[in-house]
Amino acid sequence: MEIPHDEVRRVTCVGAGVIGGGWVAHFLARGYDVTAWDPAPDAPGKLRRLVDAAWPALTQLGLAEGAAKERLTIATTLEEACAEAQFVQESAPEKLELKRQLLAQLDAATPKDVVIASSTSGYPMTDMQTEAADPERLLVGHPFNPPYLIPLVEVAGGNRTAQRAVEWASRFYEVAGKSVITMNQELPGFIANRLQEALWREALHMVANGEATVKEIDDSITEGPGLRWAFMGPCLTFALAGGEGGMAHMLDHFGPSLKSPWTRLEAPELDAALRDAMVAGCEEAAGGRSIAELVAERDQGVIDVLRATGRVPGNGRLPGGKGAGE
Ligand SMILES: NC(=O)C1=CN([C@@H]2O[C@H](COP(=O)(O)OP(=O)(O)OC[C@H]3O[C@@H](n4cnc5c(N)ncnc54)[C@H](O)[C@@H]3O)[C@@H](O)[C@H]2O)C=CC1
Ligand SMILES: C[N+](C)(C)CC(=O)CC(=O)[O-]
């Protein structure tokens, strides 16, 4: 029997790069004891720098009672990291065979009845749980960068995942301050990445063909639809494009243009020229700002949007987070 969601105190994060480190920062800020493990020799230093960089934003939002960076332990082996885990979040590189073997190792090292989630951004759990002795407790918990600020987690099981594990994880993420979409089927790319990848594919086509610059593409979203999407999704936004007639008029009016040859559908070849054009375009768009400066700018921007759209309660604690309503 799994531990009650609100009694979880110890979370283990395996893989401590951009996303694993972001999860560490999130769980620390929500008042958990966090154990991290990453095989890279420079991982501890990188992880502590990431948590240090995230902490001002998390402090601004309001830390849960007792939250402290000192509650992070960095384990030296995977077995040590998992021995006392009450929840495990895997964020290792996006390589299918690596995930398969790692999830089997995590399954062997983690106490029974503890749920193990993968941060994968696209692999279905059915394809990753093949080597594990106890696949029932393995599921996808797909976060968004940075996990310590973007609320959404997409939860999906594989065909050997127990429904009760999916339900447990969904509720646990909510208790830990996340917004959860629990998927009842395994869609490739889940929901949000499927949408993001469609946009991304078209952006790459436009750069590859010299049709738009990186800056024009970014400005077209931040000065346009992105402003609406922070609080109203693309469907309801487009319903308003139909005026008083709503979505019905919108579809009758603009529906035929769905067949216009606006989109390319097939991904472009990611050759060296396109890679170089994207890298150069992003450097130009950054205008001399370092990655650390851009991270701080992004974090402040997300906080401002969360506040402006009423998603941070007055007491500074995230909705549903540990300590909320105390
Ligand atoms: N970067 C992003 O925006 C997002 C990434 N994800 C997913 O998160 C996962 C991690 O991606 P990133 O953090 O971006 O990658 P990353 O490259 O920043 O970090 C991966 C970390 O895993 C470590 N690692 C290597 N082999 C390992 C092993 N066998 N066991 C444990 N750790 C190992 C590496 O040393 C590195 O620190 C991937 O599954 C990715 O699809 C999900 C959402 C967003
Ligand atoms: C780039 N990415 C596909 C790994 C991004 C994600 O999976 C989610 C996000 O943070 O946008």
Side-chain angles (χ1 to χ4, degrees), residues 100-166:
R100 278 189 180 138
Q101 301 305 330
L102 178 59
L103 287 170
Q105 275 180 283
L106 293 176
D107 177 42
T110 304
K112 294 291 164 210
D113 293 332
V114 169
V115 170
I116 301 172
S118 172
S119 295
T120 181
S121 45
Y123 297 134
M125 182 44 79
T126 296
D127 295 348
M128 295 192 293
Q129 65 192 169
T130 52
E131 311 307 311
D134 186 8
E136 290 83 3
R137 55 167 161 172
L138 303 182
L139 46 83
V140 170
H142 175 235
F144 289 78
N145 192 37
Y148 56 86
L149 290 182
I150 304 289
L152 183 61
V153 181
E154 294 172 308
V155 175
N159 63 12
R160 297 171 68 199
T161 308
Q163 182 57 22
R164 60 155 220 285
V166 171

Side-chain angles (χ1 to χ4, degrees), residues 73-97:
T73 303
I74 300 182
T76 50
T77 64
L78 175 150
E79 288 71 21
E80 179 194 331
C82 295
E84 295 190 359
Q86 293 172 321
F87 175 72
V88 178
Q89 183 78 38
E90 171 274 308
S91 309
E94 192 74 353
K95 293 180 185 155
L96 184 56
E97 199 44 40

Side-chain angles (χ1 to χ4, degrees), residues 190-226:
F190 321 120
I191 297 175
N193 269 2
R194 182 165 168 182
L195 294 168
Q196 289 202 112
E197 290 297 326
L199 189 85
W200 180 229
R201 182 186 64 226
E202 297 306 319
L204 290 181
H205 273 303
M206 287 191 269
V207 171
N209 295 325
E211 295 162 342
T213 65
V214 164
K215 183 165 186 327
E216 284 168 337
I217 290 166
D218 278 358
D219 287 351
S220 78
I221 297 299
T222 57
E223 296 298 309

Side-chain angles (χ1 to χ4, degrees), residues 30-53:
R30 304 283 17 107
Y32 294 93
D33 291 314
V34 180
T35 302
W37 178 74
D38 187 303
D42 61 347
K46 274 187 172 171
L47 173 57
R48 292 198 194 278
R49 284 196 295 281
L50 191 155
V51 172
D52 283 345

Side-chain angles (χ1 to χ4, degrees), residues 275-323:
R275 184 184 182 280
D276 291 350
M278 287 304 299
V279 172
C282 284
E283 269 168 24
E284 198 184 335
R289 289 167 295 175
S290 66
I291 294 287
E293 286 168 333
L294 289 168
V295 164
E297 205 175 298
R298 175 205 59 195
D299 284 5
Q300 192 56 54
V302 174
I303 289 174
D304 292 347
V305 169
L306 287 172
R307 283 197 169 132
T309 54
R311 278 179 273 184
V312 181
N315 66 3
R317 291 172 185 191
L318 289 171
K322 257 173 84 77

